Amino acid sequence: MTGLIHIYCGDGKGKTTASVGLAVRCAGRGNKVVFTQFLKDGTSGECRVLAKLPDVTVMAANPVGKFSFRMTEAEKRETADALTRTFDAATGFAVREHARLLVLDEVCAAISCGFLDEKTVVKFLETKPETLEVVLTGRGPSEALQAHADYITEMKMQRHPFEKGIAAREGIEF
């Protein structure tokens, strides 16, 4: 079975949700799944449920817990180190454990913020096991990432409650 590469991108809601749905589908067929979040702490509702599923491993890295534009230079270095370690751990684990699906949630943001080296991610995509399906999510995927994708799905915001001053709600947005 050939493993393909997906990108879920855009400014709309649903990128992580789509990757969670695919992870559940894959695990529901008895496959190993590695679900990795960058710039998130892994405590969202979806991660709590995924972590309870057999054959699903959840990893996350957000050591500082701030938006990048609010980080000091030291915090940015700490975040970059943590995200690089998490990427290496997730990809290494997925390969060693013969996972069927690897989700790299918010990897596009990790790259665009300068926390993760794009060349490292591209090299992994070029050398990944043939049967490993990979999902990359986030806004603004680079041309290099898009060039490797078999699927590119863009979520487009047309309306969002944030525009009315409604903050993210537990159980719905996280």
Side-chain angles (χ1 to χ4, degrees), residues 19-86:
S19 67
V20 169
L22 185 57
V24 169
R25 177 182 291 150
C26 192
R29 294 293 184 172
N31 296 293
K32 290 183 181 180
V33 174
V34 179
F35 191 91
T36 312
Q37 290 193 313
F38 299 93
L39 301 169
K40 295 179 179 179
D41 65 7
T43 62
S44 62
E46 64 268 19
C47 286
R48 291 175 185 195
V49 169
L50 287 173
K52 293 178 182 180
L53 297 176
D55 295 323
V56 175
T57 300
V58 176
M59 298 181 182
N62 188 22
V64 177
K66 296 180 183 177
F67 290 112
S68 61
F69 61 87
R70 293 197 172 147
M71 291 181 193
T72 65
E73 289 306 312
E75 290 171 331
K76 289 178 181 179
R77 285 191 299 277
E78 179 184 354
T79 299
D81 290 344
L83 270 56
T84 299
R85 284 192 309 273
T86 300

Side-chain angles (χ1 to χ4, degrees), residues 63-166:
V64 177
K66 296 180 183 177
F67 290 112
S68 61
F69 61 87
R70 293 197 172 147
M71 291 181 193
T72 65
E73 289 306 312
E75 290 171 331
K76 289 178 181 179
R77 285 191 299 277
E78 179 184 354
T79 299
D81 290 344
L83 270 56
T84 299
R85 284 192 309 273
T86 300
F87 179 81
D88 292 343
T91 56
F93 185 80
V95 170
R96 278 191 314 281
E97 296 298 316
H98 305 286
R100 178 71 182 97
L101 175 64
L102 170 63
V103 175
L104 301 172
D105 185 40
E106 291 297 344
V107 73
C108 298
I111 292 168
S112 66
C113 289
F115 297 131
L116 190 58
D117 181 51
E118 179 183 63
K119 290 178 184 174
T120 301
V121 176
V122 168
K123 181 178 179 184
F124 175 75
L125 295 176
E126 292 172 345
T127 60
K128 72 173 188 64
E130 185 177 318
T131 59
L132 180 62
E133 199 89 3
V134 180
V135 175
L136 304 101
T137 76
R139 295 175 184 223
S142 68
E143 289 183 23
L145 293 178
Q146 291 183 54
H148 289 82
D150 299 290
Y151 296 90
I152 299 176
T153 303
E154 182 177 4
M155 278 61 163
K156 181 180 177 194
M157 183 187 69
Q158 294 185 339
R159 182 177 301 147
H160 196 286
F162 184 78
E163 297 168 326
K164 296 179 184 178
I166 299 172

